Amino acid sequence: MSEIVLRAKDELPQEWFNAICAIHDAVFLQPPFAWTSDTSRENAEDLCRLAKEPTFGVVVACHDRDLIGYAYGHRLPVDHGWWRAIAQPLPPEFTREWDGRTFTLTGLAVLPGQRGRSLGKRLIGRLLGSRTEERAVLSVQPAAVATQGFYRHLGWRLVGRNGPFPDITPPHWDVYVMDRLPRQEPAC
Ligand SMILES: CC(C)(COP(=O)(O)OP(=O)(O)OC[C@H]1O[C@@H](n2cnc3c(N)ncnc32)[C@H](O)[C@@H]1OP(=O)(O)O)[C@@H](O)C(=O)NCCC(=O)NCCS
């Protein structure tokens, strides 16, 4: 049986873009996630825009020639609005930003038939391990209870719920932080 390999890049080849969008739609256009008829198009547009960020990074899991999972994200600008969108007050030493402090894990999914084999953990580990930022933040839908259990198991900490965002489905998101990113050993 051929093995699953992870591949990382800081730009997004068209074939990865197409495969990531297909996995996104297979995973997120069904419960427990909330979606609309615009979700697929909006995701593709967001990914297209994010991939142009100079700090973008992506890791994919490949089995033979097929993509079966992905993780991607980018560095947040200092004036991002993530903390302001959370109702409960957060300590100023936490919300203070400087260039390079915070990475955001924007996309993560593993195809249903491939779950439970450490792929989600490996994708995140490879992506975060390659970063120079101090910490990472992500948002996850409140209904995605299993996904939140996965994040907590990996050491992510719930900092609060943001929203309501009138034009976003769902209108509230739970925000998790990993306070210190793991560092990958430099290759000899
Ligand atoms: C979330 C997701 C990426 C996890 O991928 P996965 O490959 O199934 O997870 P892994 O096998 O890597 O699990 C890693 C660890 O988390 C644990 N874990 C998995 N689900 C868990 C849960 N619901 N609660 C607690 N721990 C959990 C595993 O037991 C494993 O523990 P171990 O390393 O100590 O043995 C996958 O379920 C998925 O694609 N879900 C739908 C999309 C999604 O929610 N994306 C994130 C949007 S914010």
Side-chain angles (χ1 to χ4, degrees):
M1 202 167 82
S2 53
E3 92 185 279
I4 293 168
V5 292
L6 300 192
R7 299 207 166 92
K9 283 187 188 287
D10 51 18
E11 83 281 354
L12 190 62
Q14 185 66 42
E15 76 233 51
W16 287 18
F17 174 84
N18 296 341
I20 287 172
C21 289
I23 294 174
H24 169 275
D25 291 355
V27 168
F28 290 103
L29 305 190
Q30 60 175 306
F33 303 102
W35 74 97
T36 71
S37 54
D38 294 327
T39 300
S40 175
R41 176 184 51 78
E42 287 170 354
N43 173 70
E45 288 171 359
D46 285 348
L47 178 54
C48 196
R49 182 176 44 79
L50 289 177
K52 294 184 180 125
E53 294 275 337
T55 59
F56 179 79
V58 57
V59 179
V60 296
C62 304
H63 184 238
D64 295 331
R65 296 181 62 83
D66 297 326
L67 248 79
I68 57 173
Y70 63 81
Y72 60 81
H74 65 101
R75 176 179 297 178
L76 283 180
V78 288
D79 59 351
H80 72 80
W82 280 66
W83 315 133
R84 283 194 301 279
I86 295 175
Q88 58 271 46
L90 296 165
E93 65 273 16
F94 176 81
T95 57
R96 195 159 62 88
E97 291 290 356
W98 54 82
D99 187 32
R101 186 173 191 197
T102 310
F103 178 77
T104 175
L105 175 64
T106 321
L108 170 74
V110 172
L111 279 175
Q114 303 288 345
R115 291 183 193 158
R117 302 178 186 178
S118 298
L119 271 182
K121 179 174 161 176
R122 286 175 60 202
L123 284 163
I124 292 181
R126 177 76 177 270
L127 182 64
L128 298 188
S130 69
R131 302 300 307 189
T132 57
E133 291 84 2
E134 174 186 302
R135 65 183 180 183
V137 60
L138 62 82
S139 62
V140 51
Q141 301 193 15
V145 174
T147 302
Q148 297 205 23
F150 162 82
Y151 284 132
R152 285 194 299 275
H153 183 77
L154 294 191
W156 293 79
R157 174 173 69 84
L158 178 66
V159 293
R161 181 166 291 184
N162 65 19
F165 303 112
D167 301 329
I168 297 180
T169 301
H172 291 275
W173 294 72
D174 289 330
V175 176
Y176 280 78
V177 164
M178 183 168 282
D179 292 294
R180 291 268 160 217
L181 295 194
R183 297 277 173 248
Q184 244 156 43
E185 295 297 322
C188 296

